Amino acid sequence: MPAVSLQNVTKVYGEDTVALEDVTFDIEQGEFVVVLGPSGAGKSTLLRILNGLTNPTSGTVEINDRPVGNAGSAVGMVFQMHYLIESMSAYRNALTGALGRTGSLASVLTLNSKGDKRAALEALDTVGLLEEAEQRASSMSGGQKQRVGIARALVQDPDLLLADEPVSSLDPKAARDVMGYMKRAAEDRNLTTLASLHQVNIAREFGDRFIGIRDGEVFFDGDRDDLSMEI
Ligand code: ADP
Ligand code: ADP
């Protein structure tokens, strides 16, 4: 069974803005997939559908054989604009990921279990920030903040990790650094990952599989060798 399965997914906003048109693909457990495409291609819409934030107009989306949005499948999300709480430490920010898993507000306040605390520290370790655990987010670099954002997603113990343009606001060195941590985290945990990127060079370096979207349609789906021939 594939980890993620999209069948004939179409998304129309309003009367006639077709953001995705008849998109069909499967992702296997542990695959690290990069979605490439120009602005307006439909990348964010695809991620929002996988995250259950918006419903497709038609078609089906399943994670681990269950419709998206069903209780039981956790999706971890890494954002372009990290959305950390600047006044809180890296550790506290990572711990908020437990909210996504338990769905309980108590978990984000003071009542985190030992397991949550351990998961937060392990996740910070995975992204190389254990020593910075007590540092306030506001004092961190853009790359470090994105790594905390990855840690927060990992704390959910997600079935699927989604990253929406996670390195677009970073310089190339920080971008490679962040992608490297994300790749290693995914490999360590055999985590199925789908990241949208617009930098082809960075995509080529870290992706195992590349899905190209243009005007809402998949026009490319292949590995690094295929990508070299196409682009
Ligand atoms: P990308 O992430 O690749 O830039 P999007 O998924 O954001 O692409 O957008 C795909 C298309 O859908 C664009 O034409 C965009 O303007 C449109 N779109 C995205 N979100 C909405 C929305 N909430 N309402 C109406 N149109 C939208
Ligand atoms: P991105 O390319 O990163 O998705 P956008 O500027 O396209 O950023 O979209 C930012 C937000 O605005 C999204 O939440 C999207 O749903 C919404 N949006 C984008 N295009 C439209 C549109 N044509 N009409 C209404 N909302 C839109």
Side-chain angles (χ1 to χ4, degrees):
M1 132 188 126
V4 176
S5 179
L6 283 90
Q7 292 279 339
N8 308 109
V9 170
T10 291
K11 176 70 182 183
V12 184
Y13 291 110
E15 294 285 303
D16 55 5
T17 304
V18 181
L20 291 177
E21 189 164 13
D22 200 20
V23 170
T24 297
F25 60 81
D26 287 349
I27 304 176
E28 299 302 323
Q29 178 71 41
E31 264 192 301
F32 195 101
V33 179
V34 173
V35 176
L36 288 163
S39 186
K43 303 183 297 296
S44 301
T45 299
L46 174 65
L47 268 70
R48 283 201 294 273
I49 285 174
L50 283 166
N51 204 9
L53 288 175
T54 189
N55 290 317
T57 307
S58 60
T60 60
V61 186
E62 292 181 337
I63 298 176
N64 292 337
D65 259 353
R66 281 186 302 236
V68 160
N70 248 24
S73 64
V75 178
M77 186 88 185
V78 179
F79 305 92
Q80 182 178 351
M81 296 302 180
H82 62 76
Y83 297 126
L84 298 186
I85 300 172
E86 296 276 351
S87 62
M88 291 199 323
S89 67
Y91 169 71
R92 280 272 152 205
N93 269 291
L95 205 47
T96 62
L99 178 66
R101 186 163 45 79
T102 61
S104 138
L105 188 60
S107 69
V108 80
L109 300 174
T110 51
L111 301 176
N112 292 101
S113 69
K114 275 188 183 158
D116 290 344
K117 293 177 182 172
R118 196 182 319 116
L121 291 172
E122 273 173 15
L124 286 172
D125 194 21
T126 301
V127 297
L129 288 176
L130 199 49
E131 308 237 308
E132 288 80 4
E134 293 305 329
Q135 215 171 300
R136 273 179 192 237
S138 57
S139 71
M140 299 185 126
S141 70
Q144 285 177 320
K145 287 179 184 177
Q146 282 307 53
R147 283 151 62 190
V148 176
I150 294 168
R152 178 182 54 196
L154 294 176
V155 167
Q156 290 187 49
D157 191 19
D159 300 297
L160 172 65
L161 181 65
L162 295 176
D164 190 1
E165 298 277 358
V167 298
S168 293
S169 61
L170 303 176
D171 64 68
K173 186 178 174 300
R176 289 200 160 76
D177 195 43
V178 167
M179 287 305 295
Y181 278 107
M182 192 185 301
K183 185 77 191 282
R184 246 169 291 151
E187 281 172 0
D188 284 357
R189 296 164 188 237
N190 192 31
L191 190 52
T192 310
T193 305
L194 189 145
S196 67
L197 294 174
H198 64 254
Q199 308 96 317
V200 178
N201 286 339
I202 290 177
R204 195 193 303 274
E205 224 171 288
F206 296 97
D208 299 326
R209 173 178 168 194
F210 306 87
I211 294 177
I213 304 188
R214 193 193 288 145
D215 296 332
E217 294 186 74
V218 173
F219 73 96
F220 177 86
D221 186 349
D223 64 17
R224 195 170 287 115
D225 293 339
D226 301 330
L227 185 71
S228 302
M229 290 195 301
E230 179 81 11
I231 299 175

